[in-house]
Amino acid sequence: MTRYPLIAPNPPRLSEQTEALRRIEASGVFSNNGAEVRAFERDVTDRLFGGHGASLAVANATLGLMIAIKQAAQQVGRPDGLALMPSLTFAATGQAALWSGLTPLICDVDPDDWSACRHAEERLLETRGDRISVLVPYATFGNAIDLDRYCWLQRKYGVGVVIDAASSLGTVDDAGNGFGHDSPFATVYSMHATKTFAVAEGGLVHSGDAGLIDQLRAMTNFGFEGSRSATLYGINAKLPEVVAVLAQAKLEQIDAVCDARAELEVAYREGLSGFQLQKVDGRRRAMQFMPVLLPAALAAKRDAITAAMDAAGVGTGRYFSPHLAEQPLFKTHALIEPTPIADTVAARMISLPITDAMTAADATAVAAIFKRVCAEASASVPATVRTRPVARTLLIGGGPAGTALLTAATKRGQLGDFAQGLVVVERDAAIGVGRLGKYAITSDSTATTFLTAVKDNPYPEIAAILDHPAGRAVARYTDAIGVPLVEAGPLIRATGDRLGDIVSANGGELLTGHEALGTRRIDGGMWSTRLRRRADGSEFEQLSHNVVIATGGHQPLDRLAAQQVAGQSLVAQAGDRLLQSDEVLAHGGMAKVADLLSGKRAPKIVVIGGSTSALATIFLILKTAPALPFGEHGITLLHRRPLRPFYPSIEAAQAEGFTDFTPDDICPVSGFVYRLAGFRLEARELVLRMLGVDGRVADPRIRNHRITGDDDAVARSALAEADIVIAALGYRPHALPVFDTDGQPIDLSAAHNRAMVDKHCRVTDAGGAAIPGLYGIGLAAGFVPWGHLGGEASFSGQANGLWQWQNDVGQMIVDQVLGVAAERRAVA
């Protein structure tokens, strides 16, 4: 039986390089950028890069990445920032960033070419650009990715760029140049024995900027620039002279080797028709192996398939599975974005052999074996899927509120019990952050509040998040007014990852990438919830004893259409000048506002509402750079309720001369003044200035007007004169249709602009009666603290706070679910 190893190292024979070896011995120079290394660097620049720029030989590609990343981060002035990279790459990419003092920021990949997802990259540059030091894209499997685009990103965002091209030495781009030709940044290649440009161990850094290569050369030699005195960060990363001899010999062979391997790829592509293959960029790839995706139905059978291939004489691999986001080191030391595409690609990946000994006929034979093995595996896949087990609790929504419920269960060490029979349904690819990270504003919770979810948590994997990069990022704002939500999001995401691991380890199930369409009460007091898998639209039923709705809130258009201001329709008064605050507060929202106001010498904006989002909108408008040219009263706040600042005590309020409160405005538990109704942090400072408390002077750009009635001429005039009107009218819960046993819709209190839940977090019908087994938590659920939870008697409205959800409010639901379960066991 013919055997086809996955990789067969084929470096030049050292025994055939006797003349060069004698030359080294005669020179007495065995390292330190000797004549052999310099000759190879000159020749590889001429042969593969058209003589443009310069090249630097290094001891290995990982060291090349380290020095290039370090230099790029120093150059942009963010030496301890983030290194943005795709998840589908080798561990060396992330390791190099860590050793360079940066935190990997891991993003998803493109579904076709498997390189970094351009939408994810640009979104992260928009939202976290002030912390991103370096982009480290991977030229996946030798593909010639678009380097012109990275030149553009480098200029637009002021970030460094280092290309991980480990498999690409010998790749030719669409213009017929060696990949990396004349690029202004560093491109790093591997010359490891397993690569197409096989030597022994070594790497190459190329750039169109010869000055950059000079600086990197000094860094490979302990940071010495012209003398034996370190002036730069440095390390010993020099390529030995003997290895340079092998590299020079391989350079003579590389075009023939790559051409032969390209023929193998053509044969594979013909033989693997019907399978998903990587989209190719460039004229020729320096192929190391042939990547192919298993059909989705066979992903779970990958081990059996690779075993069958081995039995048939074919070696296989699974580059890169696990990908970075799945590896323990990076879960602990990196910031990880949702990676649904990388998850899917890695789970289905098989690497087939490409070696210098193979012919096109061999590739065709291996493809035929692979197709046969897959066909045999397909025949054993059951035609039907077994019925899903009944869940004790179905949690719909794995965003901040849903994971807050799980966090509450950890506080008393109950998550293991709560996870038994738990199914979590989440639309996104991961639980935790939800839509929180999309907003360009600062939280109305302190860093300490965010960190209490993990600090001293009974579950050590949760407590360890305090030292996670996301935890450290939030901790930097301990003495600040709030935390930018773009920084809070990764902390909640990291917490969600750990919570999900605990749930899964204790018998629970995470259904990410799924959405709930509606739930129906069935005989026996259970619920049947219709779920849909977003990837393919398939639907199925999930039975459960309890359902917890944590789907968050939104600003409904129908409420906007019905809104009256000063006795007239808001839509009629504002027309196409009307925006919602949720749109403005999101990343990119202020760019839209600035665009709408471009050319206005003294623009006028009206913000309607007395909520935190209204004040946050004004604060964001004022701090946006470049500043908008507002004149006096350029921003008008219209609201009906009085604006109240929070105070930690009566004494603190009186010390500032604020006395506009009564005993009913004081929380009997905490002693706080306006504990629930009062504005906090940035919004509070804005309100204090508006009210002139303690001698504060109001910003002349802001006019604060409380609407007096239907005939309020000031409000009408402000709306008529405004260039933009922003409605900050609060949030309503995302609707989940609920049906009774007859299939008839249950009329919920939330449909009548009332709270969705009662004082015990139970969802109520239009008559105010609690619906057994149906709970709600989160933004717009309408929960109002009571009893030992505190709050002022005068408060009306709803209280939304992550700390409350993660503690007393979430615990309220956990206790009820576990208590009911204990009662069932006792009866049984």
Side-chain angles (χ1 to χ4, degrees):
M1 178 176 60
T2 303
R3 296 204 66 84
Y4 301 99
L6 174 65
I7 296 172
N10 188 29
R13 295 179 181 275
L14 190 59
S15 59
E16 296 177 356
Q17 312 302 319
T18 54
E19 180 181 347
L21 295 176
R22 290 193 183 99
R23 193 164 60 239
I24 293 171
E25 290 174 345
S27 73
V29 178
F30 298 91
S31 186
N32 291 348
N33 297 302
E36 303 299 326
V37 166
R38 289 303 188 103
F40 167 65
E41 292 172 343
R42 181 184 62 249
D43 290 348
V44 76
T45 301
D46 290 341
R47 290 277 295 271
L48 298 188
F49 305 107
H52 292 274
S55 302
L56 169 66
V58 290
N60 61 61
T62 305
L63 287 170
L65 284 172
M66 287 168 56
I67 62 169
I69 291 171
K70 187 72 173 179
Q71 187 278 339
Q74 292 282 336
Q75 189 72 25
V76 299
R78 291 188 284 273
D80 58 352
L82 305 175
L84 175 55
M85 62 188 64
S87 197
L88 194 71
T89 186
F90 190 52
T93 316
Q95 291 277 20
L98 289 172
W99 279 101
S100 302
L102 304 183
T103 298
L105 173 58
I106 298 171
C107 72
D108 208 0
V109 298
D110 181 87
D112 297 320
D113 65 13
W114 309 337
S115 61
C117 172
R118 62 177 56 209
H119 301 298
E121 286 179 321
E122 292 171 27
R123 175 178 54 81
L124 289 167
L125 284 166
E126 286 289 345
T127 59
R128 306 177 71 83
D130 59 340
R131 290 198 58 209
I132 295 174
S133 305
V134 187
L135 306 182
V136 192
Y138 170 52
T140 314
F141 304 142
N143 227 10
I145 60 176
D146 185 356
L147 299 185
D148 288 340
R149 175 174 169 271
Y150 285 101
C151 291
W152 170 71
L153 292 176
Q154 183 181 48
R155 293 191 301 270
K156 179 176 181 180
Y157 294 100
V159 294
V161 175
V162 174
I163 306 295
D164 181 349
S167 303
S168 303
L169 196 51
T171 290
V172 176
D173 64 22
D174 286 323
N177 301 309
F179 177 68
H181 163 88
D182 210 24
S183 294
F185 35 69
T187 304
V188 183
Y189 314 84
S190 175
M191 300 190 299
H192 189 272
T194 60
K195 294 294 188 289
T196 302
F197 199 108
V199 179
E201 180 67 274
L204 186 79
V205 185
H206 177 77
S207 176
D209 182 351
L212 170 59
I213 293 297
D214 287 341
Q215 190 171 51
L216 295 179
R217 186 182 303 283
M219 294 177 71
T220 66
N221 188 32
F222 307 103
F224 296 157
E225 287 183 297
S227 68
R228 297 185 66 80
S229 180
T231 57
L232 302 169
Y233 281 93
I235 197 170
N236 184 4
K238 300 184 294 292
L239 186 75
E241 290 286 275
V242 171
V243 180
V245 169
L246 294 177
Q248 185 74 283
K250 196 66 182 183
L251 181 61
E252 299 300 320
Q253 307 169 0
I254 191 61
D255 280 329
V257 168
C258 287
D259 286 344
R261 291 186 174 218
E263 292 179 4
L264 299 183
E265 181 178 9
V266 170
Y268 265 128
R269 287 182 175 273
E270 292 176 353
L272 294 172
S273 60
F275 287 86
Q276 185 176 345
L277 304 174
Q278 183 184 15
K279 178 180 176 292
V280 176
D281 292 304
R283 293 188 184 180
R284 184 188 74 185
R285 293 202 289 175
M287 294 294 291
Q288 184 180 3
F289 43 75
M290 184 66 196
V292 56
L293 297 191
L294 290 168
L298 296 183
K301 289 181 167 287
R302 183 168 58 177
D303 288 346
I305 289 170
T306 56
M309 293 291 289
D310 184 67
V314 180
T316 59
R318 49 184 71 181
Y319 295 92
F320 299 100
S321 178
H323 57 88
L324 295 190
E326 296 174 323
Q327 298 177 27
L329 176 72
F330 301 110
K331 284 186 175 182
T332 303
H333 295 287
L335 297 177
I336 301 174
E337 290 287 298
T339 56
I341 304 301
D343 295 343
T344 299
V345 170
R348 296 168 54 193
M349 183 68 73
I350 294 279
S351 308
L352 299 178
I354 286 185
T355 69
D356 293 340
M358 290 176 64
T359 66
D362 292 326
T364 300
V366 171
I369 294 171
F370 181 68
K371 291 178 74 172
R372 173 180 59 79
V373 168
C374 288
E376 293 170 352
S378 294
S380 64
V381 174
T384 59
V385 180
R386 67 183 179 87
T387 303
R388 293 181 58 81
V390 176
R392 179 170 68 190
T393 307
L394 181 67
L395 173 57
I396 302 175
T403 50
L405 175 65
L406 304 181
T407 298
T410 68
K411 297 295 186 73
R412 297 185 188 173
Q414 295 174 302
L415 184 54
D417 291 337
F418 190 70
Q420 295 175 26
L422 173 67
V423 175
V424 181
V425 178
E426 168 56 34
R427 287 173 52 88
D428 291 336
I431 67 171
V433 69
R435 299 171 69 244
L436 191 67
K438 67 166 272 191
Y439 293 108
I441 57 174
T442 298
S443 71
D444 58 356
S445 298
T446 65
T448 301
T449 298
F450 281 107
L451 295 174
T452 54
V454 299
K455 186 178 180 182
D456 300 324
N457 194 284
Y459 291 83
E461 58 267 62
I462 302 293
I465 297 174
L466 205 61
D467 294 322
H468 186 277
R472 295 197 300 270
V474 170
R476 292 204 306 266
Y477 295 90
T478 298
D479 296 324
I481 299 179
V483 180
L485 291 182
V486 70
E487 299 288 4
L491 173 67
I492 299 174
R493 165 70 203 279
T495 306
D497 284 343
R498 305 304 185 279
L499 292 169
D501 291 343
I502 296 170
V503 167
S504 298
N506 286 275
E509 183 179 10
L510 302 182
L511 292 180
T512 54
H514 288 71
E515 58 190 352
L517 304 179
T519 191
R520 177 172 55 89
R521 188 157 49 188
I522 61 176
D523 293 337
M526 289 197 298
W527 293 91
S528 179
T529 304
R530 190 72 174 171
L531 302 179
R532 178 165 58 202
R533 186 165 57 194
R534 301 185 70 202
D536 57 13
S538 60
E539 299 180 6
F540 57 93
E541 297 287 329
Q542 173 66 61
L543 300 182
S544 64
H545 293 285
N546 304 287
V547 174
V548 180
I549 302 172
T551 49
H554 68 124
Q555 294 181 332
L557 290 175
D558 57 352
R559 180 176 180 182
L560 196 63
Q563 185 67 38
Q564 298 278 312
V565 176
Q568 294 184 7
S569 164
L570 174 59
V571 172
Q573 292 183 79
D576 59 4
R577 297 171 292 139
L578 185 60
L579 300 174
Q580 297 222 66
S581 61
D582 197 69
E583 180 182 3
V584 175
L585 296 175
H587 285 284
M590 276 307 303
K592 180 176 181 178
V593 170
D595 183 60
L596 292 172
L597 296 178
S598 62
K600 303 285 185 181
R601 289 189 176 181
K604 290 184 178 295
I605 292 178
V606 169
V607 178
I608 303 172
S611 64
T612 296
S613 60
L615 274 295
T617 299
I618 293 176
F619 199 91
L620 180 63
I621 291 170
L622 292 177
K623 72 177 183 181
T624 294
L628 296 172
F630 292 112
E632 185 178 17
H633 295 171
I635 302 172
T636 298
L637 175 65
L638 300 179
H639 58 97
R640 289 190 173 88
R641 296 180 181 177
L643 304 179
R644 302 303 192 193
F646 162 85
Y647 277 98
S649 66
I650 296 173
E651 293 75 18
Q654 292 174 338
E656 288 197 347
F658 183 79
T659 59
D660 189 10
F661 57 90
T662 70
D664 282 347
D665 301 320
I666 301 166
C667 171
V669 175
S670 64
F672 296 164
V673 179
Y674 293 120
R675 177 181 178 180
L676 301 179
F679 290 100
R680 301 188 182 220
L681 302 178
E682 287 183 342
R684 177 179 184 271
E685 291 302 310
L686 203 54
V687 167
L688 289 173
R689 292 178 66 184
M690 288 180 179
L691 300 180
V693 174
D694 199 29
R696 292 174 173 85
V697 178
D699 189 317
R701 295 171 294 178
I702 304 173
R703 175 173 56 167
N704 170 34
H705 178 72
R706 185 177 177 189
I707 300 172
T708 57
D710 290 347
D711 57 350
D712 193 318
V714 173
R716 290 183 186 176
S717 174
L719 288 171
E721 296 173 1
D723 297 298
I724 292 177
V725 177
I726 301 172
L729 304 175
Y731 291 82
R732 301 300 302 164
H734 276 295
L736 178 71
V738 179
F739 303 90
D740 62 19
T741 53
D742 295 327
Q744 297 300 309
I746 298 177
D747 191 16
L748 302 180
S749 59
H752 300 274
N753 291 325
R754 299 198 299 269
M756 182 173 74
V757 300
D758 66 5
K759 62 189 296 185
H760 299 290
C761 293
R762 299 173 300 187
V763 175
T764 58
D765 63 22
I771 302 173
L774 198 59
Y775 303 92
I777 187 173
L779 182 65
F783 177 82
V784 178
W786 59 281
H788 72 280
L789 277 66
E792 62 270 27
S794 62
F795 178 73
S796 63
Q798 56 180 308
N800 292 304
L802 188 63
W803 186 89
Q804 291 179 330
W805 302 341
Q806 291 174 338
N807 289 276
D808 295 309
V809 178
Q811 190 64 50
M812 189 180 295
I813 298 176
V814 171
D815 288 344
Q816 290 177 89
V817 169
L818 293 182
V820 170
E823 289 176 10
R824 288 198 187 101
R825 287 194 297 270
V827 171

